[in-house]
Amino acid sequence: MLEKLAAPLAARLARVKSLHARDLEGGDMARCACHTRFARKYPRAGREWLWQYVFPASHRSADPEDGVIRRHHLYDSVPQRAIREAAHAAGIAKRVSLPHAAPFICDASLESGYDIRTVQELLGHSTVSTTMIYTHVLNKGGRGVKSPLDRLEQPIAAYRRAAAQTASAM
C-alpha cells in the first residue's frame, strides 16, 4: 500500500518545497504557525522546511492570533469535498466522509493478508484496540483470516480452466 503512495507523496513534497522556497523569498510569509512555547525556544523553526505543512493552503492569510500573513494548512473541508466528489464520480449514492475510509482500509488490508499490527501502524493508531474498532474481524472469528491455501485456489482454478480450453481447442 505504501509503495503506491511513495511516488505521489515524493512529488507532492517536491511541489510543496518549491512553494515554500517561493514563500521564503517573500520574507515572513514562509513561516508556519508554531506553538508559542516552541516558537520561543526555536524562533527560526517556523521558517524551516521540516516544519512546513504537507498540505498547505493555496493562499496566504492573516493569522488570527498575531496578524502575521502566512500560509496555513488546508481546511478540513477540502479533503472532505474531494472524498465526496470521488464517491459521486464512483456512483456511490450514499453519504461518504473521510472517517468512513478507515473500515474499508482495515477490511481490505486484512483480507489481503496483512496482520492487525501492520494495519494498526498504517492507520497510525497507538493501540490495536483502536484499530479493532474499525474492523469486522472480531465478528468473523477464525474465518476473518484467509489461509495462503485459500488464496491459491483462484489461480489454480483459472489455470485449470485455461488448460481445459486449450485441450478442447486441439
Side-chain angles (χ1 to χ4, degrees):
M1 192 182 308
L2 292 176
E3 293 166 4
K4 288 189 176 190
L5 297 177
L9 183 57
R12 170 93 190 148
L13 290 174
R15 286 192 308 272
V16 172
K17 193 170 188 174
S18 172
L19 179 66
H20 176 62
R22 283 193 306 255
D23 283 352
L24 278 173
E25 293 170 3
D28 270 356
M29 292 183 279
R31 288 192 308 159
C32 69
C34 293
H35 189 274
T36 308
R37 283 187 251 161
F38 183 80
R40 268 193 308 244
K41 187 172 182 178
Y42 302 102
R44 296 197 36 82
R47 293 178 56 88
E48 293 176 7
W49 163 241
L50 174 69
W51 297 102
Q52 301 307 306
Y53 297 113
V54 174
F55 297 99
S58 58
H59 62 281
R60 295 180 293 264
S61 60
D63 190 317
E65 289 185 20
D66 59 13
V68 175
I69 304 288
R70 59 173 58 112
R71 193 175 302 276
H72 298 275
H73 58 81
L74 282 181
Y75 286 106
D76 294 342
S77 62
V78 174
Q80 179 57 46
R81 189 178 327 117
I83 294 283
R84 199 170 36 250
E85 289 171 5
H88 179 73
I92 299 173
K94 297 185 83 152
R95 202 171 154 234
V96 178
S97 66
L98 202 50
H100 289 112
F104 295 116
I105 293 169
C106 283
D107 289 346
S109 299
L110 290 167
E111 287 174 7
S112 297
Y114 287 87
D115 63 283
I116 192 78
R117 298 264 185 213
T118 303
V119 176
Q120 171 195 346
E121 187 177 320
L122 288 171
L123 292 175
H125 295 155
S126 57
T127 64
V128 168
S129 59
T130 304
T131 307
M132 292 172 117
I133 291 169
Y134 293 102
T135 68
H136 301 101
V137 169
L138 296 175
N139 298 333
K140 295 180 184 177
R143 294 172 304 204
V145 178
K146 287 191 176 188
S147 160
L149 187 58
D150 291 335
R151 280 187 247 131
L152 285 176
E153 186 177 326
Q154 293 171 346
I156 290 172
Y159 171 77
R160 286 185 179 151
R161 278 194 304 275
Q165 288 175 351
T166 304
S168 67
M170 290 182 170

